[in-house]
Amino acid sequence: MWVKWRRPESGTSERMSIRNLFFLLTLMLALLLGALGLWLVADSHTKVLAVDWLQKSNRLVDTSQQASAELAVERGLTARLLASLDAPDDGLWLRVQVQRRAVDRQHEQLRRLLGELVELSPGHPLAQYQQRLAQMLSTLQSRRVAVAAAVTGQRPALQSSQWISDSSRMIEVLHSLAGVSMLPLEDNIYSYASQPIIKDVLFTMGEYLGRERALLVVVLSRRSPLTLAEQRQLDEHRSVVEQARRRTEAILDQLQGQQGLQQVRLHFEREMLVYDQLRADILASSRREEAYQVTAEQWFTQATLAIQSV
């Protein structure tokens, strides 16, 4: 039996296959664009978070440095006050109280910025510094009460060396806070921006110049030579200052040509030249056990100008 062969209507089948393939490709493209859109939205959010974090963390670093600088001034003034209790100076005590208010204003701003950053990233290591900062401020208030008691003649009086040691540890907390705030956000590559390394170096140099200022203002106030322990401590401070200064100069050498930088650098070098010479004169008088040619007030004022130039 013969069967007549018929050619299949392939045109219709091919048209259906092409149409289905077109729909499939269109669907895949739509899904791909949708996924890309979601990724762009998430990535944009990550970028915005990183920008917000970097802006606020930089402000925190600046405020932390300002707070430490103000506290360093309070450290020096208070150390001088405690070293001269036998010759009370009401004007100096008033300056200490005014300086305390300046310190408190900076700390209040610092707490606010810290809270904003912790709100942005509760899991960041910076969160633990809320408690550390609160403890530091509590310790500061208790030491201030002890200073006030010493001024009014209550014994035993807080020693200037103890006050310098305690306030220096508080400044170390502020330094540590600034350093931790530079850490990037977890799983956010955009927060790995170039961090203000120069700020950290200048922070260190300014702080150890402040420690020198506080130590020598005590020596000048009591009008006696440095003890061996004080000389050793001063040498340690100087070692840190010199190392930070070398790092600063190396960084500044890489920034030559920046507008206004050369003028600022020359101002810094002039102030440090005066500071170093005055410091050397004090140490020379101490070694020879001669009367100092500079008063505690003169030294504090000139040292403060040098630190401000930093």
Side-chain angles (χ1 to χ4, degrees):
M1 180 177 180
W2 295 92
V3 179
K4 189 177 180 180
W5 177 80
R6 295 178 62 186
R7 185 176 179 178
E9 297 179 0
S10 58
T12 303
S13 177
E14 289 175 0
R15 284 197 297 272
M16 291 297 293
S17 297
I18 292 173
R19 184 181 301 161
N20 291 340
L21 180 61
F22 174 75
F23 286 146
L24 179 61
L25 290 175
T26 302
L27 178 62
M28 291 177 63
L29 181 60
L31 290 174
L32 180 62
L33 290 175
L36 179 61
L38 291 175
W39 179 83
L40 288 174
V41 170
D43 189 60
S44 296
H45 175 72
T46 302
K47 288 179 178 178
V48 169
L49 179 61
V51 169
D52 199 14
W53 176 269
L54 290 172
Q55 287 178 339
K56 289 182 176 179
S57 63
N58 272 289
R59 286 170 56 199
L60 183 71
V61 171
D62 291 339
T63 304
S64 181
Q65 291 179 342
Q66 291 166 7
S68 68
E70 296 289 5
L71 183 54
V73 172
E74 181 183 350
R75 175 180 59 192
L77 289 172
T78 304
R80 180 184 164 196
L81 181 71
L82 292 172
S84 56
L85 289 176
D86 294 336
D89 185 342
D90 292 339
L92 181 57
W93 175 227
L94 179 61
R95 287 176 63 187
V96 169
Q97 295 178 74
V98 170
Q99 186 60 32
R100 287 179 176 184
R101 289 193 287 271
V103 170
D104 292 342
R105 283 194 296 270
Q106 292 295 334
H107 285 159
E108 183 58 36
Q109 186 177 359
L110 190 62
R111 284 192 296 183
R112 179 179 57 78
L113 285 170
L114 179 58
E116 291 177 2
L117 282 167
V118 172
E119 187 176 351
L120 280 177
S121 179
H124 193 275
L126 202 59
Q128 64 181 311
Y129 276 84
Q130 286 184 305
Q131 183 177 0
R132 289 191 65 182
L133 184 60
Q135 291 174 342
M136 186 206 84
L137 295 177
S138 176
T139 301
L140 176 60
Q141 294 304 323
S142 67
R143 294 297 181 272
R144 285 174 170 178
V145 170
V147 170
V151 171
T152 56
Q154 298 182 34
R155 303 290 178 175
L158 178 67
Q159 298 296 311
S160 57
S161 58
Q162 184 61 50
W163 160 257
I164 291 174
S165 177
D166 290 343
S167 54
S168 294
R169 280 196 295 271
M170 297 174 202
I171 292 175
E172 286 174 359
V173 172
L174 296 176
H175 193 175
S176 178
L177 170 63
V180 171
S181 72
M182 297 178 190
L183 295 176
L185 295 170
E186 185 177 4
D187 298 328
N188 190 325
I189 60 172
Y190 301 111
S191 63
Y192 284 82
S194 182
Q195 296 295 345
I197 299 174
I198 184 65
K199 290 184 179 181
D200 185 63
V201 176
L202 292 175
F203 188 106
T204 300
M205 181 162 59
E207 163 56 11
Y208 278 84
L209 286 171
R211 294 188 184 192
E212 286 190 343
R213 175 182 60 187
L215 194 156
L216 289 180
V217 84
V218 170
V219 172
L220 292 169
S221 295
R222 71 170 187 239
R223 299 184 181 87
S224 64
L226 280 84
T227 65
L228 289 177
E230 288 170 336
Q231 182 62 61
R232 184 167 56 251
Q233 194 173 29
L234 199 62
D235 291 340
E236 292 173 356
H237 295 341
R238 178 50 40 165
S239 176
V240 176
V241 168
E242 291 299 334
Q243 182 180 15
R245 189 168 180 175
R246 285 193 296 269
R247 290 183 63 193
T248 299
E249 290 173 347
I251 293 173
L252 291 177
D253 287 341
Q254 301 300 318
L255 298 175
Q256 289 183 359
Q258 295 287 334
Q259 186 176 5
L261 182 60
Q262 186 63 22
Q263 184 177 356
V264 172
R265 185 173 185 177
L266 289 174
H267 172 68
F268 160 72
E269 291 174 349
R270 283 195 301 268
E271 293 295 344
M272 286 302 301
L273 184 64
V274 176
Y275 175 94
D276 289 338
Q277 184 58 57
L278 196 56
R279 178 183 181 277
D281 292 342
I282 294 171
L283 296 184
S285 296
S286 175
R287 285 193 299 270
R288 294 193 295 263
E289 297 186 0
E290 297 175 350
Y292 295 112
Q293 301 302 307
V294 60
T295 65
E297 176 64 25
Q298 290 169 335
W299 161 251
F300 188 86
T301 299
Q302 184 55 52
T304 299
L305 290 175
I307 294 171
Q308 287 174 345
S309 75
V310 174

